[in-house]
């Protein structure tokens, strides 16, 4: 049973526009959420996180929104740049630092 | 900048052979994870250590996989015997906290090909 779901396998966005990546989760025990970016043949790189006590966290071009009642989070990238093209993983953490990942969304930013 | 070190980066092995991967986490990080990632899927947790103790190995195929972190620092993941279906990226990650949520940092991974 997938506890973290990224239902869009891929997303294509024009350079300069907003990219919105979505993630849903099922486990109410998750209390910390993270986004990672991954290039081919490399390990995932941490991007941004949010605690369950917040509904928004912003870091430069990246903003993560959390809707606890809907068990939904999203990552907004604005403006999108060609270098943002990568696979983006949503991850969720529960007590004891147990970290569960979604299947990923491939983002392509066209110049 | 501190990094998680993994070796080797690439490994090709014949089925039924033994293979081992090594990970050195960021200094001071108590939590160490081994993940397996198959192309097109998200990382799947194999084993999680807190210091030298295993806290979760529920998804580790224990008939052929083993993992250890003897002194609570670096770790080794072993597969014996390797099967064709083990071909994947093996990722190690570490995080610093004990019981408090924080981000995990990943190494470059080991790409295993079983032929």
């Amino acid at each position: 049973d997938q506890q973290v779901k990224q239902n869009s396998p891929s997303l294509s966005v024009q350079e300069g526009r907003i990219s919105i990546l979505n993630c849903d989760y099922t486990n109410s025990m998750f209390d910390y959420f993270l986004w990672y970016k991954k290039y081919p043949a490399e390990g995932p790189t941490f991007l941004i996180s949010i605690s369950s006590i917040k509904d928004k966290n912003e870091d430069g071009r990246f903003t993560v929104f959390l809707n606890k009642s809907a068990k939904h989070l999203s990552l907004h990238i604005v403006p999108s740049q060609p270098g943002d093209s990568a696979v983006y993983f949503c991850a969720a953490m529960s007590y004891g630092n147990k970290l569960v990942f979604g299947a990923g969304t491939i983002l392509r930013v066209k110049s | 900048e501190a990094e998680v070190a993994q070796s080797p980066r690439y490994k090709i092995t014949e089925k039924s052979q033994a293979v081992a991967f090594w990970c050195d986490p960021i200094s001071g990080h108590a939590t160490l994870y081994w993940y397996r990632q198959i192309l097109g899927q998200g990382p799947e947790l194999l084993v999680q250590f807190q210091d030298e103790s295993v806290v979760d190995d529920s998804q580790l195929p224990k008939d052929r996989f083993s993992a250890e972190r003897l002194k609570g620092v670096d770790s080794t993941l072993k597969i014996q015997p390797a099967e064709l279906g083990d071909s994947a990226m093996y990722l190690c990650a570490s995080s610093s906290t004990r019981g408090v949520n924080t981000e995990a940092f990943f190494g470059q991974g080991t790409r295993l090909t079983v032929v």
Side-chain angles (χ1 to χ4, degrees):
Chain A
D1 179 32
Q2 262 194 309
Q3 298 185 67
V4 179
K5 301 178 184 179
Q6 294 178 256
N7 292 318
S8 297
S10 65
L11 174 68
S12 187
V13 171
Q14 198 67 35
E15 180 180 7
R17 306 296 292 269
I18 185 171
S19 296
I20 300 176
L21 298 101
N22 293 302
C23 178
D24 297 293
Y25 62 96
T26 58
N27 189 341
S28 300
M29 300 304 292
F30 290 142
D31 57 4
Y32 192 65
F33 303 89
L34 308 93
W35 285 93
Y36 286 83
K37 174 181 179 180
K38 187 180 184 300
Y39 293 117
E42 294 185 11
T45 301
F46 169 74
L47 265 180
I48 191 169
S49 61
I50 187 167
S51 167
S52 59
I53 62 174
K54 296 184 176 181
D55 56 16
K56 176 183 175 181
N57 188 27
E58 191 172 351
D59 184 1
R61 298 186 297 115
F62 302 92
T63 303
V64 56
F65 295 91
L66 175 63
N67 182 333
K68 279 187 65 178
S69 61
K71 293 190 174 69
H72 176 84
L73 63 155
S74 61
L75 174 68
H76 293 210
I77 306 172
V78 56
S80 301
Q81 299 173 354
D84 296 330
S85 297
V87 180
Y88 287 79
F89 290 104
C90 171
M93 188 177 275
S94 56
Y95 178 78
N97 289 359
K98 294 176 69 69
L99 185 60
V100 180
F101 283 82
T105 296
I106 300 170
L107 174 65
R108 296 188 185 91
V109 179
K110 299 176 289 186
S111 55
Chain B
E1 183 176 298
E3 292 182 347
V4 176
Q6 285 189 251
S7 66
R9 284 294 307 276
Y10 304 94
K11 180 70 177 178
I12 300 174
T13 191
E14 294 182 347
K15 64 180 181 179
S16 79
Q17 294 299 304
V19 63
F21 314 127
W22 177 79
C23 173
D24 191 11
I26 293 172
S27 178
H29 280 196
T31 304
L32 185 147
Y33 309 85
W34 282 102
Y35 285 88
R36 175 172 60 186
Q37 189 198 2
I38 295 168
L39 198 61
Q41 299 181 20
E44 171 197 19
L45 181 69
L46 293 173
V47 61
Q48 177 183 344
F49 290 92
Q50 184 71 24
D51 299 308
E52 67 276 8
S53 301
V54 172
V55 298
D56 187 351
D57 63 356
S58 57
Q59 300 302 311
L60 188 72
K62 298 182 187 63
D63 56 335
R64 297 184 301 108
F65 286 65
S66 65
E68 61 182 14
R69 193 185 183 197
L70 291 175
K71 296 183 178 178
V73 181
D74 59 336
S75 175
T76 303
L77 178 70
K78 296 179 181 176
I79 309 175
Q80 182 174 18
E83 296 180 353
L84 295 177
D86 296 331
S87 295
M89 174 78 89
Y90 289 83
L91 297 163
C92 179
S94 68
S95 66
S96 64
T97 56
R98 299 168 187 268
V100 176
N101 293 334
T102 189
E103 58 269 23
F105 296 93
F106 282 81
Q108 295 276 57
T110 296
R111 168 67 68 187
L112 173 67
T113 303
V114 182
V115 297

